[in-house]
Amino acid sequence: MQKALVLGASGATGRLLVKSLLDKGVEVKAVVRKAESIANIEDSSNLLKIVEAEISAMPDEELAYLLSGCTSVFSCLGHNVSFKGIYGHPRRLVTDAVAKVARAVELSPSDQKIKMVLMNTTGNSNRDIPEKPPFSQRMAIALLRLILPPHVDNEQAADVLRLQVGQSHNKLEWVIVRPDGLIDEEQVSEYDIHTSPIRNPIFDAGQTSRINVADFMSELSLDSGLWSEWKGQMPVIYNRVQA
């Protein structure tokens, strides 16, 4: 049986990811600050284990223990949309969590590779290709780096995987999923995956439903062909535009 660890499991997308994994028969360890924030998720198969913990305060050894037996780890961590959430601490919430996962994987005595799927944003360019955003977007992103710490956190979290873990780590493989403008929908719909953004995420953003992001992230961990296609990359996901 597949086993997964989900960080940020109580967030708007994290909850949908947990549900998607459970529906597909995956045993899930969901890390949340308060157990009641996710306790009402339907779990008819008793596959959900709720772990009440603060990831930023968790020792590497404790995270390594949680990762024991897991085939995949997901991060849907993000900053609350409030003044404190945006400008308060921890400003490197996502970056520090991703780095902690990388260290914890190294502590594992198992040689089995773990797949990590990180939820990110189309505002973060893939500098491995490299992408060439239009001038207007580059200027807007430069401004965001100055005034929005969460954007810098997203960029640096991706850089941990791109630059520190890299493409040939002996224990950790990764995919960074970049949704465009997030919306809420009740059902999974058709969606398209691209290597790079096909729209300007600042001035001409598309739409991506959170439930589609959750479906794609869960499928990445379960479909070996899909994983091979996107391993070590930063795919962009959009809702399919109906003609």
Side-chain angles (χ1 to χ4, degrees):
M1 176 181 289
Q2 298 270 12
K3 296 182 180 181
L5 180 70
V6 179
L7 308 178
S10 62
T13 306
R15 291 176 60 86
L16 295 170
L17 174 60
V18 169
K19 187 65 168 62
S20 181
L21 291 166
L22 293 174
D23 288 346
K24 295 171 184 178
V26 178
E27 185 176 323
V28 177
K29 299 176 185 177
V31 180
V32 294
R33 292 179 182 178
K34 296 182 179 180
E36 58 265 26
S37 65
I38 198 174
N40 61 346
I41 285 185
E42 184 179 336
D43 177 29
S44 57
S45 301
N46 295 317
L47 294 174
L48 176 61
K49 178 181 179 182
I50 300 174
V51 180
E52 194 174 60
E54 185 82 41
I55 185 65
S56 60
M58 183 183 293
D60 293 356
E61 293 78 10
E62 184 177 344
L63 182 57
Y65 175 78
L66 288 177
L67 282 169
S68 177
C70 289
T71 52
S72 55
V73 54
F74 300 86
S75 173
C76 291
L77 289 165
H79 298 256
N80 292 329
V81 185
S82 64
F83 186 87
K84 182 179 179 181
I86 293 173
Y87 296 103
H89 293 281
R91 289 196 172 189
R92 286 170 45 97
L93 170 69
V94 186
T95 303
D96 290 345
V98 173
K100 186 169 291 187
V101 168
R103 295 194 302 270
V105 168
E106 290 283 7
L107 293 174
S108 171
S110 172
D111 292 329
Q112 178 182 357
K113 285 192 175 182
I114 292 179
K115 300 174 180 177
M116 180 165 196
V117 184
L118 170 66
M119 181 179 169
N120 210 257
T121 172
T122 51
N124 180 21
S125 296
N126 182 358
R127 291 173 292 282
D128 284 338
I129 298 180
E131 293 172 348
K132 296 183 179 179
F135 178 77
S136 61
Q137 179 181 329
R138 297 200 303 273
M139 292 300 98
I141 293 299
L143 179 61
L144 289 179
R145 292 191 184 108
L146 293 174
I147 64 175
L148 287 180
H151 180 80
V152 177
D153 192 20
N154 275 325
E155 291 187 328
Q156 292 178 346
D159 285 350
V160 171
L161 296 178
R162 289 180 48 252
L163 303 177
Q164 297 181 27
V165 175
Q167 300 285 347
S168 56
H169 195 278
N170 63 332
K171 289 187 177 183
L172 185 62
E173 298 178 341
W174 54 268
V175 173
I176 299 168
V177 175
R178 293 183 289 170
D180 212 3
L182 287 167
I183 62 172
D184 292 318
E185 291 184 343
E186 293 186 1
Q187 302 293 330
V188 174
S189 61
E190 292 183 316
Y191 53 83
D192 296 309
I193 309 299
H194 299 271
T195 301
S196 299
I198 61 172
R199 305 174 67 113
N200 186 316
I202 304 299
F203 301 106
D204 184 33
Q207 291 186 333
T208 313
S209 67
R210 289 180 173 86
I211 199 167
N212 282 350
V213 177
D215 183 73
F216 179 54
M217 291 177 73
S218 62
E219 284 298 311
L220 275 168
S221 69
L222 296 171
D223 185 330
S224 58
L226 191 65
W227 183 262
S228 296
E229 181 180 359
W230 294 110
K231 180 179 67 175
Q233 299 185 61
M234 298 174 62
V236 178
I237 175 172
Y238 297 98
N239 284 6
R240 182 168 299 173
V241 177
Q242 302 300 323

